[in-house]
Amino acid sequence: MTGPGAHKVAEQIKFIAAEMLSRRIQDPRLGFVTITDVRLSKDWQAAEIFYTVFGDEKAHRGSAEALEAAKGQVRSAVARGVKMKFTPTISFIPDGLPETSEEFEALLDAVKKSDAEISAHAAEAQYAGEADPYRHDDEDSGD
């Protein structure tokens, strides 16, 4: 997707899809779904709609099935709401952002723990030689 026009169309599709899912699609399998992003192909013939689902694995599967069943309705709503020569095909893709953010949180926790251990060791550390091994001009030299 390139250009401000494509971004504007993607935002319109995102709004229409979210509106459809919250108000018009009455599938009991559809859980708490959030539309996170829409990406258009370069020729604007395909729209990938990224979503997240709040809940367990059963909610994820049920919502994926409900979204697949509602693709036609969402595409029809996009055709009515976005003035384009051709309506893009719609595909729903689960967004990996929540899982990725959980992995990042785990990595950050590991780094914080490591930093705390290094700080503890540094507090107990002693110099191998003198604290300041460099000669200073203000010192009296015995020469």
Side-chain angles (χ1 to χ4, degrees):
M1 176 173 69
T2 58
H7 181 69
K8 183 178 177 182
V9 170
E11 286 299 315
Q12 288 176 329
I13 292 172
K14 181 179 176 181
F15 178 79
I16 292 168
E19 184 83 12
M20 284 292 296
L21 295 177
S22 67
R23 298 197 178 161
R24 293 204 172 34
I25 307 297
Q26 300 298 322
D27 194 323
R29 299 173 293 179
L30 191 62
F32 187 71
V33 175
T34 302
I35 304 297
T36 58
D37 195 17
V38 174
R39 295 190 187 147
L40 286 173
S41 62
K42 289 185 180 190
D43 61 359
W44 296 18
Q45 295 297 310
E48 296 176 329
I49 301 175
F50 291 86
Y51 69 94
T52 59
V53 179
F54 182 74
D56 58 2
E57 186 61 34
K58 183 179 178 184
H60 285 259
R61 278 194 311 273
S63 294
E65 292 169 0
L67 290 171
E68 187 65 29
K71 265 201 293 195
Q73 293 174 338
V74 172
R75 186 169 187 229
S76 295
V78 167
R80 286 189 303 273
V82 180
K83 303 301 180 206
M84 298 174 64
K85 187 173 185 177
F86 299 103
T87 303
T89 58
I90 302 290
S91 60
F92 286 99
I93 300 173
D95 196 344
L97 186 63
E99 292 80 15
T100 304
S101 65
E102 288 173 5
E103 291 174 18
F104 279 128
E105 289 295 326
L107 288 172
L108 286 173
D109 288 342
V111 168
K112 286 178 186 176
K113 182 179 176 184
S114 175
D115 283 350
E117 290 173 5
I118 291 171
S119 294
H121 287 300
E124 299 170 0
Q126 296 179 359
Y127 292 104
E130 297 177 32
D132 187 5
Y134 300 102
R135 179 181 287 168
H136 298 281
D137 291 335
D138 60 344
E139 294 179 359
D140 292 333
S141 61
D143 299 331

